[in-house]
Amino acid sequence: MTTTSSDTHSRTRPVGLPWSALLALGTAVFITSLTETLPAGVLPEMSVSLDTSSGATGQAVTVYAAGTALTAIPLATATASVPRKPLLLGAMAVFLVANTLTAAAPGYVVLLTGRFLAGIAAGLAWAILAGCARRIAPAGLEGRAIAVVMTGIPVALSLGVPAGTLIGEQVGWRAAFGAVSLVTLAAIGWIGVSVPGVGQPAVERAGNHRPEPAPGSAKSPLRQTLAVPGVAPIMVTVATFVLGHTIIYAYVAPYLQHAGLGSATDAVLLGFGAACLVSIWYVGRHVDRRPRTLMVTGAVLFTLATAGLAVTTAHAIVWVGAVLWGLGWGGAPTLLQTAAGQAGMRHSSAAADTAQAVLVTLWNAAMALGGIIGGLLLQKSGVTVVAVSAAALGAVSLLIVAGARQHAFRNAQATR
C-alpha cells in the first residue's frame, strides 16, 4: 500500500488509544495467562479424573512452558513476513483447539498433547502481541498501549484462575477448560472486528496504526537481532529479573510459614497483587517517557524488598516487603517488552518481533529454572538463602540496567 504525504502527516497527529482493539489484545493475553496457570487451581480434580498422581498431573504446566520456550523463536523467525493480524487469529484458533482438546482429553497422553499445543500457540502469540499493540498505537503512546494489553496477566491471575477453580470445584475441571474455549472463541471474533490490519488502509490513514511489512520481506535472523544495540542487555535483564522473582515467588508459601504468617498467605499475596496493579497503572502512564527511570526504580524496589525478607522475618517487614516487591515487579512485563520492541525497531519491525520472541523464550526458561533452583535452595539451605538469591539477582539486574544507559531503557529525552 502506498501512503500519500497527507496520509503521513495525519498519522503523526495526536490521537487517542484504540481502546477496543487494545482490550481485544488484552483478552488474548488473559487467555494465554489463564491457560498456563489454570491447572494449578484444578489439579486435584484432574488427578482424580485421569487417575494420575498430583506430580504427574502437574507436568501439564511444565509441558505448556516447554512448548512456549522451544517454539517461540523458530516460529517468530519463520513467520516474520506474515501479516500480524492473521497470524494472531491463527494462534488464537490453535488455543481454541488446544483447550477444547484438553477439556475432552480421555487420558493423560492426550492431555499433555493439548497442553503442549497450547504452549506452542502461546509462544507465537506472545511473540506478536506486544508488536500488534505497538503498531496500532499513536506515536508516543506505544508503551501505554502495551501496558493496557498486559493487564490481561494480573486479571487472569487475580480473577481468571479463582473463577476457573470455582467452576472446577462446582462443575468439573473439564468445564473450566471448556469455558476458556468459549472466551477464546469470543476473543477471535473481537480481534477480527476491532484490530486493524493489512487490507484496512482507511484505518491506517486515520492514524490508528502503522503499516506492517509486506509479505515476502526479508526476515531478520536471530543473530542479527541480538546484535542490535540494546537488545542483548535487555534480554540479560529479562533472564536475571524473572529468575530472581520466580525463585522466591514459587516458594513464598514456605517462606511465609517460616515467618509465622502461613495462615495469612492469601492476604499477603493479595497485598502483593494490589501493589502489582498499582505498578502496572503507573508504569502504563509513564513508560513512553521514562522507561529507564521506571526500570531502575523497579529493580531497586525488588532488591530492597527481597533483601529485607532475607534479613528478617519480622511481620511488619514482611508485609512492607510484599508491597514493595509488587510495586517493583508489577510493571516489569510492560517495561521489558516495551524496551525490547523499541530496541528492535531501530533495525526493523521484524527485528522487534524477533526480540519479543527471544524475550518470551528467556522468560519461560527463567520461570522453569527459577522453580528448580528455588526448590534446591529451599531443600538444602532454607528459605533465607532463597530470599538472598532473589535479592542478589535483583541487584545484578539493577547493575545491567544502569550500565546499559546508551542503548537500552532510554528515557524520552535521550532519544531526541
Side-chain angles (χ1 to χ4, degrees):
M1 188 200 79
T2 58
T3 304
T4 66
S5 176
S6 61
D7 292 338
T8 301
H9 288 306
S10 70
R11 285 177 54 230
T12 62
R13 293 200 304 265
V15 294
L17 289 174
W19 282 102
S20 180
L22 292 177
L23 291 175
L25 295 177
T27 303
V29 171
F30 169 85
I31 290 167
T32 63
S33 299
L34 179 57
T35 300
E36 180 177 18
T37 54
L38 183 56
V42 294
L43 193 63
E45 292 82 3
M46 293 175 69
S47 297
V48 172
S49 173
L50 298 171
D51 193 24
T52 56
S53 67
S54 296
T57 308
Q59 297 309 304
V61 177
T62 304
V63 167
Y64 181 102
T68 300
L70 291 173
T71 62
I73 294 175
L75 283 176
T77 302
T79 60
S81 62
V82 179
R84 303 293 92 180
K85 180 178 177 178
L87 192 60
L88 178 58
L89 289 172
M92 299 311 295
V94 175
F95 260 111
L96 177 61
V97 172
N99 278 314
T100 303
L101 183 62
T102 301
Y108 185 64
V109 174
V110 176
L111 172 75
L112 294 185
T113 300
R115 294 293 295 171
F116 187 76
L117 187 62
I120 294 174
L124 180 57
W126 275 106
I128 60 178
L129 276 165
C132 286
R134 186 177 62 249
R135 285 184 177 91
I136 66 176
L141 294 178
E142 294 90 346
R144 186 175 297 185
I146 293 175
V148 171
V149 172
M150 289 302 109
T151 56
I153 298 175
V155 171
L157 296 177
S158 61
L159 299 178
V161 173
T165 302
L166 180 62
I167 293 174
E169 292 174 348
Q170 299 297 322
V171 185
W173 68 271
R174 297 181 187 275
F177 281 97
V180 178
S181 291
L182 291 177
V183 175
T184 304
L185 186 61
I188 291 173
W190 192 1
I191 292 170
V193 170
S194 65
V195 176
V198 171
Q200 294 175 268
V203 179
E204 286 186 18
R205 289 195 292 269
N208 284 345
H209 91 293
R210 298 172 181 176
E212 302 180 57
S217 59
K219 297 179 181 179
S220 178
L222 174 61
R223 187 174 300 178
Q224 189 174 6
T225 299
L226 292 176
V228 175
V231 171
I234 291 169
M235 296 308 161
V236 177
T237 304
V238 170
T240 56
F241 205 38
V242 175
L243 182 61
H245 164 76
T246 306
I247 280 177
I248 188 165
Y249 185 79
Y251 301 98
V252 67
Y255 176 87
L256 293 174
Q257 289 177 346
H258 172 74
L261 286 169
S263 61
T265 297
D266 54 350
V268 174
L269 290 179
L270 180 61
F272 168 82
C276 282
L277 291 175
V278 172
S279 177
I280 292 170
W281 169 79
Y282 188 82
V283 166
R285 290 182 61 86
H286 301 284
V287 63
D288 291 302
R289 292 183 290 114
R290 295 187 289 167
R292 165 168 291 277
T293 303
L294 293 169
M295 193 66 223
V296 168
T297 301
V300 168
L301 289 174
F302 175 80
T303 303
L304 288 176
T306 50
L309 297 179
V311 170
T312 178
T313 56
H315 289 186
I317 299 298
V318 172
W319 280 99
V320 171
V323 172
L324 293 180
W325 178 7
L327 291 174
W329 171 256
T334 297
L335 287 165
L336 293 168
Q337 289 198 311
T338 300
Q342 288 176 342
M345 283 297 291
R346 294 178 200 132
H347 181 276
S348 67
S349 179
D353 288 340
T354 301
Q356 295 293 341
V358 175
L359 184 149
V360 169
T361 299
L362 289 175
W363 194 291
N364 281 274
M367 288 183 65
L369 191 60
I372 295 172
I373 293 176
L376 292 174
L377 291 174
L378 179 65
Q379 182 178 359
K380 295 184 178 298
S381 304
V383 292
T384 299
V385 176
V386 171
V388 169
S389 300
L393 287 164
V396 171
S397 302
L398 177 59
L399 291 174
I400 295 170
V401 175
R405 178 177 299 274
Q406 186 174 0
H407 298 294
F409 305 102
R410 297 194 299 182
N411 282 343
Q413 61 267 26
T415 64
R416 293 171 183 165

